[in-house]
Amino acid sequence: MSLKAFAEILPDYAKDLRLNINSLLSDQTLGDQRKYGLLLACAHGTGYKPIVEAAEAECVPNLSPEAANAARAAAAVMAMNNVYYRFVHLASNPEYGQMPAKLRMNVIAAPGIDKADFELFSLAVSAMNGCGMCIDSHEKVLKQHGVKAEAIQAGARVGAVMKAVATVHATIA
């Protein structure tokens, strides 16, 4: 099932989500690797199997194997990092911020695709997961790579729509 077909089964009260999925799928401003990579990373970031399956069907044919793997990897490593760094950020004891994380995250240094694309995938998943510390970190790297605010906002928008679609679908499945 495609993402469009997945969104079409949403109830009428979620019509805006259907429209937003269609807008994301037809958007040409990011280029296919970023667009489909974001959709795939965010689908995996929801942890909701039906939307992951729809995104895999929709996105994988439009991505290189390396980009699809990097999108999945961004969701996986952010599932860990967003929890840890949100803890560091929210804990009132500043000592945690001075301690080494002792978490393996080698994929961030060597994602197998353009660093800016991987950082954008990671930022979108971090936005979905509500980790301000990670959002700031990824946004800083993206700016260093010359990524414009509009592209960064688009990544956050993909995360918002995919999370909302997964949430609504989970209530009707």
Side-chain angles (χ1 to χ4, degrees), residues 34 116 140-149 151-152:
R34 283 189 175 168
K140 180 179 178 183
V141 174
L142 286 163
K143 289 294 195 176
Q144 290 170 348
H145 281 84
V147 177
K148 297 191 181 321
I152 295 168

Side-chain angles (χ1 to χ4, degrees), residues 6-145:
F6 185 86
E8 289 301 321
I9 63 175
L10 294 174
D12 286 341
Y13 67 81
K15 178 182 177 185
D16 289 329
L17 301 181
R18 289 195 304 258
L19 295 171
N20 285 324
I21 282 286
N22 289 332
S23 293
L24 293 176
L25 290 169
S26 64
D27 190 311
Q28 295 301 309
T29 59
L30 291 173
D32 281 351
Q33 177 158 299
R34 283 189 175 168
K35 175 174 71 176
Y36 289 110
L38 281 164
L39 289 165
L40 186 60
C42 292
H44 277 270
T46 69
Y48 185 59
K49 189 174 181 179
I51 201 168
V52 170
E53 291 170 347
E56 288 281 341
E58 180 91 31
C59 300
V60 171
N62 295 295
L63 290 169
S64 69
E66 296 81 11
N69 190 56
R72 295 179 197 110
V77 77
M78 289 308 109
M80 173 184 68
N81 283 2
N82 294 157
V83 171
Y84 179 78
Y85 287 106
R86 191 169 53 239
F87 159 76
V88 170
H89 178 72
L90 294 174
S92 59
N93 184 346
E95 182 178 6
Y96 300 115
Q98 304 305 314
M99 300 168 81
K102 295 185 183 177
L103 297 171
R104 294 195 180 268
M105 50 186 106
N106 296 326
V107 71
I108 295 173
I113 61 168
D114 181 72
K115 178 74 169 158
D117 290 349
F118 185 81
E119 290 289 331
L120 190 59
F121 303 164
S122 297
L123 178 133
V125 174
S126 296
M128 288 173 47
N129 292 334
C131 182
M133 191 172 184
C134 291
I135 291 168
D136 287 344
S137 176
H138 296 297
E139 194 255 356
K140 180 179 178 183
V141 174
L142 286 163
K143 289 294 195 176
Q144 290 170 348
H145 281 84

